[in-house]
Amino acid sequence: MANNGLKLSFFFLFIISYEYWVNHVNIVDTNSADLVKDVFILAGQSNMAGRGGVIDGYWDGVIPPEIRTRPGKILRLGGDLSWEDAAEPLHSDIDANKTCGVGPGMAFANAILRGDPRRFAVVGLVPCAIGGSGIEEWSRGGRLYDGLMRRAGVAVEGGGGKIRAVLWFQGERDTVNRSDAESYKEKLQRLFMDLRADLNSPLLPVIQVALASGEGAYVEMVREAQHGIELPNVITVDAKGLELQPDGLHLSTRAQLRVGEMLAHAILQSNCSL
């Protein structure tokens, strides 16, 4: 009788251990070609690359719970073109000449997984943003454009991923000179059209962030251009009024979380075909 009781105890221990293993142990091979990812490209300049928590060139290292790492669920294409579990700072080896902190990417990924876990199983983030870059530097054939295309190609090779959208946050640099601000709309529309053509996705969703700040006097002119984009499946979320760092240019960690959530809301509520 005692022996039967011991066997029953071991049986229940096995069940409990198995349940824990299934729910807590990460068994995903993040480099497996069989792992199909919902891929989102993160492009633009410093506020996309992430300066949340960066003051006087140093990142405070604070990572709020809303942007926690989720092993096997949120992946990042690193600078070496291999997939790994994503964690802030997402752009540390991409925007490598600057100090990177918190950006909108992890908040975005966590929010879409919370918002629609059946629709999005594994999120693959492809960081491409470079601090201080102007819209002209992102034109087709340029270094930044070609770098984005190369990384996007790796992200989907072998059927391992599908690009669902481009997340774009840029324009602060183009607020300095009036000529740049005046030509911004035309150049931005051309960029979006070129990306769609070269990624073989004519209606690829583009979610852009309207500026919260700028480096020069023409912030409102660039913002007007951003809000005036006349292309289908381009959605604009507005960062104006969100908290800035002491430098008056970059978004705070709290504001970056909000931008990520707004980007996610735009995707979740969109009628765009993903």
Side-chain angles (χ1 to χ4, degrees), residues 114-130:
R114 288 194 306 269
D116 197 342
R118 293 186 178 181
R119 186 181 183 190
F120 301 104
V122 178
V123 174
L125 301 175
V126 182
C128 298
I130 299 294

Side-chain angles (χ1 to χ4, degrees), residues 60-158:
D60 61 16
V62 175
I63 300 178
E66 297 93 327
I67 55 173
R68 68 189 188 279
T69 300
R70 299 191 57 180
K73 298 293 288 182
I74 304 176
L75 307 179
R76 165 190 178 272
L77 189 69
D80 62 355
L81 300 180
S82 65
W83 289 104
E84 61 188 16
D85 287 321
E88 292 288 10
L90 288 175
H91 281 77
S92 60
D93 60 351
I94 303 299
D95 193 18
N97 293 325
K98 306 288 179 64
T99 300
C100 293
V102 173
M106 287 297 289
F108 164 80
N110 274 284
I112 63 170
L113 287 175
R114 288 194 306 269
D116 197 342
R118 293 186 178 181
R119 186 181 183 190
F120 301 104
V122 178
V123 174
L125 301 175
V126 182
C128 298
I130 299 294
S133 56
I135 190 65
E136 182 66 30
E137 297 175 81
W138 285 96
S139 60
R140 179 191 255 166
R143 177 178 62 87
L144 300 185
Y145 186 93
D146 289 348
L148 184 156
M149 292 302 302
R150 180 173 63 256
R151 291 175 59 74
V154 172
V156 300
E157 68 183 7

